[in-house]
Amino acid sequence: LTRPDPRSLPGETGMVERPRRRFMPFDPWHLFLAPLAVVMLLPLMWMVVTSLETQAQTFHFPPILWPGTLRFENYANVIRESEFGTWFWNTTVVTVTIVLSNLVLCTLAAYAFARIRFLGRGVIYFVLLATLMVPLQVVLIPTFLIVKDLGLLDRLGALIVPHLASVFGIFMLTQFFRTLPIELEEAARIDGASRLSILVRIVVPLSLPALATLAVIQFMWTWNEFLWPLVTILTNQSAFTLQLGLATFQGAHQSQWHFVAAANLMSMVPILVLFLLAQRYFVRGIATQGLKG
């Protein structure tokens, strides 16, 4: 329904839409999303409670929902009684190196596939995408033999070299670059800019949402990786990552679940901080994937 606008001039029939009445001060979808969010937070809340309990309380049945005395010294004991600092540093070095190398190498490769025409471009791109359908278990042994021949076993290089670039990153950035208006690049070419200059000064600034998305995803994959470090880091405990180190708290006859929970919470902090910092670009990058024009 509409009603005359009192601010309209005499003789005019200005009409404005009547605002819709809302029966609730929030969107009705929140009635469904709020309980769902609580359910998804339950594992995290349970891990927080476990990290503040004693070892005996973690095995109590029925489970203890409130430990009574909060034992924050569990966090200090994890750092003091294990090489948590070394594990954290190793994981940070490996993750940061892989994320930076993926941002650089995947950007260069994706721009070539998106903008440069060369012989066999379509075939090479198709073969790269086909490798995404190959399970990790199929290439695990061949990759292990290559790393062994390079003399990288029991070193952080074994975790870094095979992941310097990813097919997923090339595919995602290629699709994003194709959505950018080519007229900006053509104008820069007319002004005498090189391909590399166009990439650095025009394409990369416009691609921050996609780059942030790739950085967050690659960071999470590398930070939480367990299988590949388990295969390549055999005896050198000084090269353990966080995931390998956390496994040492679990034994064949006894597991220190309160230490496992405390260490897991501390290992989650970098991921949470990175996601909060890049959340705006991350959501925008996901929302714009697949859009054309």
Side-chain angles (χ1 to χ4, degrees):
L1 297 178
T2 58
R3 56 182 176 83
D5 186 1
R7 295 172 296 179
S8 59
L9 298 177
E12 296 183 359
T13 57
M15 307 295 288
V16 296
E17 294 185 358
R18 179 180 298 176
R20 296 180 179 179
R21 295 181 178 179
R22 302 187 65 175
F23 298 98
M24 293 179 292
F26 51 83
D27 195 287
W29 275 103
H30 291 174
L31 296 176
F32 170 76
L33 296 177
L36 185 62
V38 173
V39 172
M40 297 181 65
L41 285 175
L42 283 178
L44 180 61
M45 297 168 59
W46 182 255
M47 187 164 57
V48 172
V49 172
T50 304
S51 68
L52 300 174
E53 295 179 339
T54 63
Q55 186 175 3
Q57 289 175 328
T58 59
F59 291 100
H60 189 273
F61 186 84
I64 299 176
L65 301 179
W66 182 254
T69 302
L70 303 180
R71 300 183 178 274
F72 292 98
E73 61 269 17
N74 288 342
Y75 296 90
N77 291 335
V78 168
I79 299 175
R80 183 173 57 252
E81 298 180 9
S82 66
E83 298 182 8
F84 186 86
T86 302
W87 305 338
F88 192 93
W89 172 252
N90 292 340
T91 308
T92 302
V93 171
V94 172
T95 303
V96 171
T97 303
I98 290 177
V99 169
L100 293 179
S101 67
N102 271 265
L103 291 178
V104 175
L105 299 179
C106 291
T107 298
L108 295 174
Y111 184 74
F113 283 117
R115 290 291 188 257
I116 302 176
R117 295 184 178 181
F118 54 90
L119 182 63
R121 181 182 67 170
V123 176
I124 297 175
Y125 189 64
F126 176 80
V127 172
L128 282 177
L129 294 185
T131 61
L132 290 175
M133 297 181 289
V134 180
L136 173 63
Q137 292 78 6
V138 175
V139 299
L140 190 65
I141 295 179
T143 308
F144 175 83
L145 295 177
I146 294 175
V147 170
K148 179 183 177 182
D149 293 338
L150 294 176
L152 297 177
L153 290 181
D154 276 342
R155 300 181 181 179
L156 296 181
L159 309 180
I160 297 175
V161 173
H163 301 97
L164 289 177
S166 65
V167 179
F168 171 78
I170 296 175
F171 167 71
M172 191 185 74
L173 293 181
T174 300
Q175 297 304 111
F176 188 87
F177 290 164
R178 288 175 177 174
T179 65
L180 299 179
I182 197 173
E183 291 78 11
L184 297 176
E185 302 176 37
E186 292 176 347
R189 290 295 299 274
I190 294 176
D191 292 338
S194 62
R195 286 283 189 182
L196 184 59
S197 178
I198 293 174
L199 176 62
V200 174
R201 297 184 179 182
I202 298 178
V203 177
V204 170
L206 293 176
S207 305
L208 290 180
L211 293 174
T213 303
L214 177 60
V216 173
I217 294 176
Q218 192 63 52
F219 189 97
M220 293 178 60
W221 284 352
T222 307
W223 190 270
N224 295 321
E225 190 173 18
F226 176 74
L227 180 59
W228 182 243
L230 180 65
V231 172
T232 54
I233 306 300
L234 304 176
T235 58
N236 185 13
Q237 295 189 4
S238 62
F240 273 17
T241 59
L242 272 174
Q243 305 308 320
L244 290 180
L246 293 179
T248 61
F249 291 115
Q250 304 179 35
H253 304 287
Q254 187 178 17
S255 298
Q256 299 173 307
W257 294 114
H258 56 312
F259 287 164
V260 172
N264 268 288
L265 283 174
M266 290 189 290
S267 66
M268 290 171 55
V269 172
I271 296 179
L272 295 177
V273 172
L274 178 64
F275 182 80
L276 292 176
L277 293 177
Q279 182 179 13
R280 180 179 61 178
Y281 297 105
F282 180 73
V283 175
R284 188 189 306 173
I286 293 178
T288 55
Q289 290 303 308
L291 299 180
K292 189 70 177 177

